[in-house]
């Protein structure tokens, strides 16, 4: 689709957006920072002619700190997240993911909501959100509902969102437990880079026993995924070389990377394994 | 003489502030836009063009091969490259139909409504298939050109050699990635003929191509360079194609037509660096002295000959490296395949053959148990010794000094890393780069450049050499002002316009400062002598006096111009038949070193430190020279470990900035640049060429460092993490 055939409606506030989505569900798509849409328009792969521009709607951005959780407006930019002191302290993997996204110009314009909704399997914040057990808030004219982010992506670019809904918030559960985080993006270069593999792990340990673990991965499946079986295998067990080897065997059968223009299956698998193994070995 | 070696970039401000006008910034009244409709197959015979009746084609200007008034051949070296497909299709993306319309959206829609009836023929895409004549796609044997160089008695030398080592090395395509995609605007009227504005390197190449295309006399074609943001060889031959297309449309439309490629289109259809395959067999004695070198150098030329034979020539002449050896044989060929023609790219074949030689020397050193420094020290050519073509090198050559400068910045904190999974290594490469055209090239060109005094006392430079980010404007202003003893702001450096600029040759081969700069130095001296002879200035004069003299002369005699034509020095002897003699008037010499760390978990390679030491004669302008070296190294690092063009059906399919990975500033190391200024007998004030040099050695230095870090032997670049992983698995 050529840019000249795009029709953009500038929404004044969230009600405006919800009314339009309610009135003509399926007709409208959301334009946030536009950093993904712009590229797809240029490539001619963008298909939706009618856009609701939500840039600047203050109800949709902003970061709120509650006692047990942090609410991040879907329209928050990477830069806003990077500069938030409490996120920096409690959710450093999200900061790291944001800082490794594109470059400064992209970070100033791209939003976390757009990152989730574009649903690229290689997006960089989703693995961190998965490892943190994030929830998301979806809003329509008639309903506000919450969903665990881990249940949101069903398959390649397929999500549990209705045509009259918009993603409004990302919610991160706070914890007072001592946690260990590990995040690594392996891209094609140091900036402006699409992940070839990305891993995020948050765990808690009691002595050498892993009491809780969540592992989020990018670019190794048609969507950002958790590896529940690998997590289960590690959870409740005392960390040992033997356990690590089992976990590696498990994760190798749980992820399904592909060959594409940026990398290949063998490399993605090997890197995911190497990174997890090396991280766990460091905890021995 | 006052020096202006700190002169800032003449056009720097306009580029930084955005007032510089690139081709897509230019617009003309009633201008149409053009688009190209291309072949969907790699090889075949075009039977029919089908125009979908749902479009009102009367609205469009349509051009096919049938509309060509002159010759449907881009005039270059071998006359084989058509502007538009007549019957035979030789690569995917070859232009068949041109359309113009004032509405760009209508244009792009209409372009999808043209289809072709094609009898598809089997295509070939590799050097091996081409050599093995799997299909004959060009001439009798698919070979555009071959060279043979022989020195000494190679077979005898191999006979009882202490150690013989043979290996094959490969390099793949590399894209130039100039700032703006290819583009041209053409206008036509009966009186003046065709005028083209374009983003281009060589105005007279385009001029020659268009006079043939239209069968016009020289005066009826005028080429004007628009601001060109980097070209790297990519705008040497291809602008003839796109300018020709714009001109054909403008000629038929009788209106100006602008034709600008989208980046994705540009990446798919324009020229790239030739992929190469080099097999080197060497014999050495116990100490590592080279006794014999047998080199087979092969290039993939793509579907048409374009500049391939000249690229092959330079690659061949650099294949033996800067080493002395009594017995050398080099056989080289450039082969046809069904992909868009490969063309000029900074280094012009030399980075390919030098990569092979520099990897090979490390392999030989390792297999006989000496260091990479040692094998180079033993074999580096010395004053009075001969190259592969039996050229006697009669200039100062001090390899030890190049090597020690490089090593002094390289040895620091290597092989020490906090993390067990990070391995560090260092690598060096030593090499030379022939300055100016090969052999008799400059003699045949017989370039002319000059200067002209203006009424206001300014001096205008007249030559066809182009600014493309490399500093032509600045260097020329500097050379002329230094020669005349006036401030550089008196010098005007307009972009070439063939209406007034004489043919000073193409802007290629690192020749602009050295050759054309020297012509301008002569021309400036000529102009001063004219004023002296007219008694308007004394031997010693002030700037004010000089400017006043210019004005008086102009008033009195009308014009004041001074030109100079290149004459090859008598002592340069070259035989094109045997490929023997003085291959280049002089060489630049260099030793580069890289320090890398390799992550054995992710297989990522990071270049941590880079040292570039070179001898380039007089450094005319330090900032510009450093910029050339640093930029060239960045491009060389890209060539070595980032930039992989993925091809399918003979065309690049990762044709975007997202997926063709050029390094960013964050991927590059600190680059230390050192100049030695030993020999000052050549260009203006003694300068030699430097533009291409840095691309030659940066790739092998990096890969040698990777090999050192992990004890592996990479033989193909680009060498990506995926390749490194495979090599490491193989080791296990
Ligand atoms: C040069 C460059 C580099 C990049 N590098 C990275 C990188 O390193 N890592 C990475 O992960 N991404 C990268 N991206 C992709 C992009 O920047 C991110 O995905 C970004 O988060 C998209 O956010 P946006 O606001 O710009 O989304 P938009 O382009 O506005 O929208 C993207 C999609 O999300 C939908 N959408 C947006 N907001 C909402 C909402 N609130 N509710 C429902 N639907 C919504 C839109 O309809 C659209 O389908 C890069 C992009 C560019 C151009």
């Amino acid at each position: 689709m050529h840019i000249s055939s795009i029709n953009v409606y500038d929404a004044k506030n969230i009600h405006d957006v919800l009314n339009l989505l309610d009135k003509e569900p399926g007709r409208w798509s959301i334009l946030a920072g536009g950093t993904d849409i712009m590229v797809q328009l240029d490539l001619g792969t963008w298909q939706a002619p009618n856009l609701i521009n939500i840039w600047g709607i203050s109800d949709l951005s902003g970061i709120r700190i509650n006692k047990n959780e942090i609410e991040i407006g879907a329209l928050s930019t990477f830069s806003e997240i990077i500069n938030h002191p409490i996120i920096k302290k409690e959710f450093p993997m999200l900061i790291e993911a944001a800082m490794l996204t594109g470059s400064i110009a992209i970070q100033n314009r791209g939003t976390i909501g757009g990152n989730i909704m574009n649903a690229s399997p290689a997006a960089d914040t989703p693995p961190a959100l998965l490892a943190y057990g994030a929830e998301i808030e979806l809003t329509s004219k008639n309903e506000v509902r919450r969903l665990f982010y881990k249940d949101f992506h069903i398959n390649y670019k397929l999500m549990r969102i209705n045509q009259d809904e918009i993603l409004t918030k990302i919610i991160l559960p706070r914890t007072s437990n001592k946690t260990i985080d590990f995040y690594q993006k392996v891209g094609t270069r140091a900036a402006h880079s699409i992940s070839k593999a990305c891993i995020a792990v948050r765990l808690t340990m009691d002595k050498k026993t892993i009491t809780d673990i969540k592992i989020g991965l990018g670019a190794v499946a048609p969507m950002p995924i958790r590896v529940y079986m690998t997590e289960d295998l590690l959870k409740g067990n005392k960390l040992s070389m033997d356990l690590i080897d089992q976990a590696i065997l498990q994760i190798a059968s749980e992820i399904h990377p592909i060959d594409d223009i940026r990398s290949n299956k063998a490399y993605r698998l090997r890197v995911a394994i190497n990174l997890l193994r090396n991280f766990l070995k460091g905890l021995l | 003489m006052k020096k202006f070696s700190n002169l800032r970039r003449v056009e720097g401000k306009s580029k930084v502030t955005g007032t510089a006008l690139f081709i897509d910034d230019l617009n003309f009244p009633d201008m149409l836009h053009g688009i190209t409709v291309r072949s969907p197959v790699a090889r075949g015979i075009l039977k029919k063009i089908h125009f979908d009746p749902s479009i009102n084609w009367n609205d469009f200007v349509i051009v096919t091969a049938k509309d060509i008034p002159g010759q449907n051949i881009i005039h270059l070296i071998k006359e084989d490259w058509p502007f538009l497909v007549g019957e035979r299709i030789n690569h995917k993306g070859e232009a068949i139909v041109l359309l113009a319309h004032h509405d760009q959206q209508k244009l792009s829609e209409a372009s999808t409504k043209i289809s072709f009836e094609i009898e598809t023929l089997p295509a070939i895409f590799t050097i091996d298939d081409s050599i093995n004549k799997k299909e004959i796609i060009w001439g009798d044997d698919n070979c555009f050109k071959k060279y043979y160089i022989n020195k000494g008695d190679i077979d005898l030398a191999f006979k009882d050699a202490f150690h013989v080592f043979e290996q094959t090395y490969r390099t793949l395509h590399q894209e130039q990635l100039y700032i703006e995609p290819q583009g041209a605007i053409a206008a036509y009227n009966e009186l003046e003929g065709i005028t083209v504005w374009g983003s281009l390197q060589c105005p007279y190449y385009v001029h020659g191509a268009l006079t043939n295309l239209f069968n016009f006399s020289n005066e009826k074609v005028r080429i004007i360079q628009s601001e060109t943001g980097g070209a790297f060889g990519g705008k040497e031959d291809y602008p003839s194609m796109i300018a020709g297309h714009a001109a054909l449309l403008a000629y038929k439309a009788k209106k100006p037509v602008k034709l600008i490629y989208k980046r994705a289109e540009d990446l798919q259809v324009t020229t790239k660096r030739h992929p190469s395959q080099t097999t080197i067999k060497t014999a050495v004695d116990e100490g590592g002295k080279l006794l014999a070198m047998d080199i087979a150098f092969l290039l993939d030329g793509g579907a048409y000959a374009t500049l391939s034979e000249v690229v092959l020539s330079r690659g061949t002449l650099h294949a033996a490296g800067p080493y002395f050896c009594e017995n050398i044989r080099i056989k080289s060929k450039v082969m046809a395949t069904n992909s868009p023609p490969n063309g000029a790219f900074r280094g012009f074949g030399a980075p390919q053959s030098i990569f092979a030689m520099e990897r090979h020397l490390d392999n030989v050193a390792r297999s006989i148990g000496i260091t990479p420094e040692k094998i180079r020290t033993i074999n580096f050519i010395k004053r009075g010794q001969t190259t592969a073509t039996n050229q006697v090198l009669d200039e100062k050559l001090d390899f030890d000094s190049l090597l020690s400068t490089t090593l002094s910045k390289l040895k620091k904190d290597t092989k020490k890393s906090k993390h067990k999974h990070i391995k560090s290594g260092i690598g060096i490469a030593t090499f030379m780069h022939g300055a100016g055209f090969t052999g008799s090239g400059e003699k045949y060109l017989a370039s002319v450049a000059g200067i002209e005094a203006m009424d206001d006392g300014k001096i205008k430079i007249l030559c066809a050499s182009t600014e493309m980010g490399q500093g032509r404007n600045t260097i020329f202003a500097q050379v002329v002002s230094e020669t005349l003893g006036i401030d550089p702001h008196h010098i005007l450096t307009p972009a070439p316009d063939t209406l007034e600029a004489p043919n000073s040759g193409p802007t290629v081969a690192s020749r602009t400062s050295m050759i054309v700069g020297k012509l301008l130095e002569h021309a400036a001296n000529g102009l001063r002598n004219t004023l002296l002879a007219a008694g308007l200035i004394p031997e010693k004069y002030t700037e004010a006096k000089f400017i006043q003299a210019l004005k008086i002369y102009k008033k009195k005699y009308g014009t004041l111009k001074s030109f100079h034509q290149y004459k090859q020095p008598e002592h340069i002897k070259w035989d094109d038949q045997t490929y023997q003699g003085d291959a280049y008037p002089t060489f630049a010499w260099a030793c580069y070193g890289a320090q890398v760390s390799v992550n054995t978990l992710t297989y990522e390679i990071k270049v941590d430190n880079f040292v570039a030491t070179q001898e380039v004669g007089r450094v005319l302008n330090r900032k510009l020279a450093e910029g050339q070296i640093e930029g060239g190294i960045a491009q060389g690092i890209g060539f070595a470990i980032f930039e992989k063009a993925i091809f399918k059906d003979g065309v690049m399919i990762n044709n975007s900035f997202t997926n063709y990975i050029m390094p960013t500033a964050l991927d590059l190391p600190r680059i230390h640049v050192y100049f030695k200024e030993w020999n000052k007998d050549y260009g203006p004030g003694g300068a030699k060429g430097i533009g291409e040099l840095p691309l030659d050695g940066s790739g092998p230095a990096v890969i040698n460092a990777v090999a050192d870090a992990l004890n592996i032997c990479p033989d193909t670049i680009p060498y990506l993490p995926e390749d490194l992983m495979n090599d490491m698995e193989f080791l296990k």
Side-chain angles (χ1 to χ4, degrees):
Chain A
M1 191 159 284
H2 194 264
I3 192 152
S4 59
S5 24
I6 298 287
N7 159 38
V8 180
Y9 173 77
D10 289 315
K12 285 160 214 67
N13 53 45
I14 175 85
H15 305 294
D16 211 11
V17 180
L18 297 177
N19 281 333
L20 210 54
L21 288 177
D22 184 62
K23 214 163 69 194
E24 299 175 303
R27 178 152 189 255
W28 295 93
S29 298
I30 303 292
L31 169 64
T35 58
D36 274 313
I37 293 177
M38 161 193 82
V39 173
Q40 291 169 40
L41 268 172
D42 192 57
L43 288 175
T45 55
W46 181 259
Q47 300 299 350
N50 300 302
L51 296 177
I52 308 178
N53 178 17
I54 61 170
W55 188 257
I57 296 183
S58 56
D59 321 356
L60 286 170
S61 53
I63 294 164
R64 211 159 84 207
I65 312 296
N66 302 329
K67 185 159 177 286
N68 295 321
E69 57 191 30
I70 293 180
E71 295 176 18
I72 303 175
L75 198 58
S76 303
T77 62
F78 296 111
S79 298
E80 283 160 3
I81 292 169
I82 289 167
N83 291 316
H84 200 284
I86 296 181
I87 299 184
K88 193 178 277 180
K89 193 158 156 255
E90 297 181 23
F91 301 96
M93 296 197 289
L94 187 57
I95 302 288
E96 202 172 336
M99 288 178 69
L100 288 169
T101 296
S103 60
I104 291 168
I106 297 294
Q107 290 161 14
N108 286 340
R109 185 79 199 183
T111 66
I112 187 164
N115 203 219
I116 291 173
M117 291 303 302
N118 186 54
S120 159
D124 291 316
T125 61
L129 298 176
L130 289 169
Y132 286 141
E135 290 176 66
I136 56 174
E137 182 190 88
L138 299 166
T139 306
S140 67
K141 190 171 178 192
N142 306 313
E143 193 191 8
V144 178
R145 65 182 178 115
R146 267 199 188 199
L147 189 70
F148 277 107
Y149 178 52
K150 67 181 169 63
D151 300 324
F152 185 57
H153 297 281
I154 312 165
N155 207 329
Y156 181 68
K157 302 237 174 193
L158 210 62
M159 292 153 279
R160 291 184 209 279
I161 185 167
N162 301 320
Q163 290 188 329
D164 62 347
E165 286 179 320
I166 173 173
L167 172 67
T168 38
K169 277 177 195 162
I170 292 90
I171 303 114
L172 294 169
R174 302 176 77 179
T175 171
S176 51
N177 293 340
K178 194 173 168 306
T179 52
I180 298 170
D181 287 359
F182 169 68
Y183 180 89
Q184 190 156 348
K185 165 179 177 170
V186 180
T188 47
R189 61 188 157 202
H192 281 306
S193 155
I194 299 184
S195 279
K196 297 197 280 192
C198 179
I199 180 168
V201 187
R202 168 164 273 192
L203 58 76
T204 53
M205 280 213 296
D206 184 13
K207 307 236 169 54
K208 288 286 165 190
T209 299
I210 297 178
T211 49
D212 192 20
I213 182 165
K214 291 190 182 67
I215 305 173
L217 291 151
V220 295
M223 55 189 172
I225 55 161
R226 289 243 323 251
V227 279
Y228 300 109
M229 289 192 283
T230 310
E231 292 172 7
D232 286 345
L233 199 146
L234 289 162
K235 218 180 315 183
N237 282 319
K238 193 158 182 279
L239 203 59
S240 65
M241 218 34 239
D242 195 41
L243 185 68
I244 294 172
D245 286 342
Q246 287 176 40
I248 293 309
L249 277 180
Q250 180 55 48
I251 198 172
S253 69
E254 218 174 338
I255 61 179
H256 304 285
I258 56 163
D259 291 333
D260 67 10
I261 210 165
R262 288 180 206 116
S263 188
N264 61 50
K265 188 173 161 177
Y267 176 82
R268 291 180 156 116
L269 184 65
R270 167 66 61 190
V271 165
I273 286 172
N274 284 353
L275 291 175
L276 183 64
R277 184 200 280 129
N278 195 58
F279 165 63
L280 293 174
K281 267 170 69 182
L283 301 175
L284 277 173
Chain B
M1 195 196 341
K2 197 163 176 219
K3 300 275 183 201
F4 296 101
S5 45
N6 290 324
L7 184 60
R8 295 224 188 153
R9 284 283 284 267
V10 168
E11 80 293 351
K13 192 169 168 192
S14 68
K15 279 182 175 161
V16 171
T17 57
T19 56
L21 296 180
F22 291 81
I23 186 67
D24 206 11
D25 299 324
L26 304 179
N27 290 297
F28 294 90
D30 210 18
M31 185 180 78
L32 306 181
H33 295 275
I35 202 166
T36 317
V37 190
R38 303 174 178 283
S39 164
V41 304
R43 186 161 171 250
I45 295 166
L46 179 65
K47 296 285 183 191
K48 208 170 161 195
I49 303 173
H50 182 73
F51 292 87
D52 188 326
S54 69
I55 299 277
N56 178 9
W57 293 103
N58 292 328
D59 274 1
F60 293 84
V61 183
I62 304 171
V63 166
T64 65
K66 291 201 184 79
D67 295 292
I68 291 176
Q71 288 162 276
N72 185 13
I73 288 289
I74 297 177
H75 171 69
L76 260 170
I77 299 168
K78 290 200 163 65
E79 314 263 296
D80 67 338
W81 195 20
F83 282 94
L84 292 167
V85 169
E87 193 189 17
R88 293 232 154 220
I89 294 165
N90 286 312
H91 68 81
K92 191 170 171 174
E94 203 167 354
I96 302 178
V97 181
L98 306 168
L99 295 178
H101 197 278
H102 59 83
D103 182 332
Q104 289 196 65
Q105 199 191 337
K106 280 205 176 134
L107 198 58
S108 67
E109 271 167 29
S111 72
T112 64
K113 304 282 186 201
I114 294 177
S115 53
F116 305 110
E117 205 176 290
I118 295 168
E119 181 191 329
T120 311
L121 296 172
I124 52 173
F125 303 116
T126 64
I127 293 177
D128 284 345
D129 282 352
S130 184
I131 287 189
N132 296 332
K133 303 186 193 149
K134 193 167 167 211
E135 295 290 328
I136 300 288
I137 62 163
W138 199 92
D140 310 329
D141 59 356
N142 293 334
C143 181
F144 291 124
K145 184 77 185 176
K146 50 182 154 193
Y147 294 106
Y148 178 78
I149 294 176
N150 193 33
K151 178 186 182 188
D153 187 338
I154 179 139
D155 298 318
L156 193 69
F158 271 115
K159 230 179 217 157
D160 352 85
F162 161 76
H163 180 83
V164 175
F165 193 98
E166 177 174 346
Q167 193 161 326
T168 298
Y169 307 88
R170 289 181 182 81
T171 67
L172 308 184
H173 290 94
Q174 187 184 18
E175 161 61 32
Q176 294 91 350
L177 287 179
Y178 24 72
I179 288 177
E180 79 283 19
Q182 305 269 1
I185 301 174
Y188 170 77
N189 67 57
E190 227 163 283
L191 195 69
E192 294 164 274
I194 292 281
T195 304
V196 170
W197 294 260
S199 173
L200 51 87
Q201 251 175 282
C202 309
Y204 277 94
Y205 280 5
V206 181
H207 189 268
L210 266 60
T211 48
N212 272 26
L213 174 63
F214 288 94
N215 263 339
F216 279 175
S217 60
N218 285 343
E219 310 75 55
K220 278 280 165 79
V221 175
R222 178 178 176 187
I223 310 296
I224 304 167
Q225 187 213 8
S226 57
E227 196 75 67
T228 300
F232 311 110
K235 289 177 179 173
E236 180 169 347
D237 52 10
Y238 202 84
S240 298
M241 174 74 87
I242 191 166
H245 289 171
L248 285 168
L249 285 166
Y251 181 72
K252 192 158 180 186
K254 308 277 179 279
K255 286 179 183 171
V257 175
K258 178 190 264 189
L259 183 57
I260 310 272
Y261 287 173
K262 285 215 150 216
R263 181 67 68 174
E265 178 181 22
D266 186 300
L267 291 177
Q268 278 207 331
V269 303
T270 68
T271 60
K272 312 232 170 326
R273 185 186 297 289
H274 291 71
S276 73
Q277 186 175 312
T278 311
T279 303
I280 307 180
K281 183 177 162 194
T282 49
V284 293
D285 68 12
E286 291 94 325
K289 182 170 180 285
L290 286 163
L291 304 175
M293 301 203 237
D294 191 4
I295 303 171
F297 177 57
L298 302 171
L299 292 178
D300 170 356
Y304 298 103
T306 63
L307 296 162
S308 283
E309 73 171 76
V310 204
V311 173
L312 183 72
S313 162
R314 188 171 280 270
T316 305
L317 291 167
H318 286 75
Y323 306 110
F324 174 69
C325 180
E326 279 176 19
N327 307 292
I328 301 177
R329 178 165 64 200
I330 308 171
K331 285 184 183 172
S332 65
K333 281 184 189 175
V334 55
M335 305 301 300
T337 59
N338 293 110
S339 61
N342 294 308
F345 191 157
R346 197 175 194 174
F348 219 67
Q352 289 95 314
S353 59
I354 290 173
F355 170 74
M357 180 50 71
E358 289 306 294
R359 280 296 301 129
H360 188 76
L361 272 197
D362 267 34
N363 285 334
V364 173
R366 192 199 304 213
S367 67
I368 60 168
I370 64 174
T371 65
E373 297 90 88
K374 183 85 190 280
I375 196 163
R376 289 174 172 82
T377 307
I378 293 169
N379 292 296
F380 200 84
I381 203 158
K382 294 182 186 62
R383 185 174 203 148
Q385 289 182 327
T386 52
T387 65
T389 64
N390 281 310
Q391 174 168 5
V392 182
L393 291 172
D394 188 20
E395 59 179 49
K396 179 175 169 185
L397 283 168
D398 183 357
F399 176 68
D400 292 339
S401 130
L402 291 174
L403 180 70
S404 63
T405 304
T406 292
L407 289 181
S408 71
K409 284 283 173 197
L410 210 56
K411 280 269 159 73
K412 279 179 211 158
D413 66 43
T414 50
K415 311 238 172 189
K416 261 185 256 154
S417 168
K418 291 176 284 286
H419 302 283
K420 272 206 305 255
H421 62 274
I422 308 282
K423 306 276 181 225
S424 147
I426 62 170
I428 57 169
T430 52
F431 53 101
M432 60 186 189
H433 195 92
F437 260 94
T438 301
S440 31
E442 292 294 349
K443 193 161 124 192
Y444 296 140
L445 269 177
S447 300
V448 178
I451 56 177
E452 176 179 7
M454 311 304 284
D455 291 338
D456 59 359
K458 293 217 189 299
I459 302 265
K460 183 160 87 174
I461 287 183
L462 296 173
C463 71
S465 310
T466 49
E467 173 66 53
M468 44 183 167
Q470 88 283 35
R472 165 267 198 196
N473 292 346
T474 315
I475 290 297
F476 285 175
Q478 185 189 328
V479 166
V480 173
S481 64
E482 284 177 359
T483 311
L484 295 177
I486 59 175
D487 193 85
H489 80 262
H490 295 293
I491 317 295
L492 306 173
T493 54
D497 173 345
T498 56
L499 196 65
E500 62 169 14
N503 191 353
S504 57
T507 313
V508 303
S510 312
R511 64 186 288 279
T512 301
S513 298
M514 179 171 121
I515 303 284
V516 185
K518 188 77 181 176
L519 297 180
L520 290 172
E521 190 181 78
H522 285 302
N525 280 325
L527 184 133
R528 192 192 38 222
N529 290 341
T530 306
L531 295 179
L532 272 171
L536 293 172
I537 47 168
E539 281 290 342
K540 276 208 160 124
Y541 52 83
T542 62
E543 178 175 296
K545 179 80 191 158
F546 184 84
I547 305 288
Q548 191 197 4
L550 279 184
K551 289 183 186 166
I552 296 172
Y553 191 100
K554 281 279 289 179
K555 257 218 176 102
K556 209 161 154 196
Y557 302 101
T559 54
L560 176 53
K561 291 186 186 182
S562 170
F563 291 95
H564 194 84
Q565 180 160 33
Y566 181 82
K567 268 185 223 65
Q568 185 137 301
E570 285 299 317
H571 65 87
I572 297 181
K573 299 266 185 287
W574 174 253
D575 184 339
D576 265 325
Q577 251 44 60
T578 58
Y579 253 54
Q580 290 285 305
D582 301 324
Y584 297 94
T586 182
F587 296 86
W589 306 94
C591 175
Y592 282 10
Q595 184 182 322
V596 303
S597 46
V598 184
N599 184 326
T600 58
L601 299 175
T602 63
Y603 314 100
E604 291 164 298
I605 299 165
K606 178 114 182 59
V607 185
D608 298 319
N609 183 20
F610 201 100
V611 192
T613 311
Q614 48 256 307
E615 199 285 318
V616 296
R618 179 190 160 207
V619 176
L620 288 171
N621 184 310
R622 198 167 179 97
K623 258 254 137 28
L624 284 183
E626 283 173 355
Q628 285 296 298
I629 302 299
E630 288 172 11
I633 288 167
Q635 224 161 15
I637 291 174
F639 183 39
I641 58 172
F642 288 98
E643 298 180 26
K644 183 167 187 171
I646 299 169
F647 270 62
K648 189 167 172 263
D649 288 339
V651 296
M652 181 177 180
I653 53 166
N654 55 338
N655 52 333
S656 68
F657 280 129
T658 313
N659 293 325
Y660 180 76
I661 307 301
M662 104 198 267
T664 68
L666 284 182
D667 296 289
L668 296 170
R670 165 97 197 269
I671 299 171
H672 304 268
V673 181
Y674 299 98
F675 293 108
K676 310 272 175 187
E677 300 178 85
W678 301 329
N679 302 299
K680 299 185 180 174
D681 310 329
Y682 300 95
K688 301 181 191 174
I690 60 167
E692 300 171 286
L693 178 76
L695 240 157
D696 292 344
S698 29
V702 168
I703 300 298
N704 284 344
V706 174
D708 175 55
L710 297 174
N711 255 315
I712 52 174
C713 299
D715 53 19
T716 300
I717 51 172
Y719 192 66
L720 299 191
E722 287 77 1
D723 306 310
L724 177 60
M725 179 186 84
N726 286 341
D727 282 354
M728 284 182 67
E729 305 249 299
F730 188 72
L731 276 188
K732 275 185 197 154

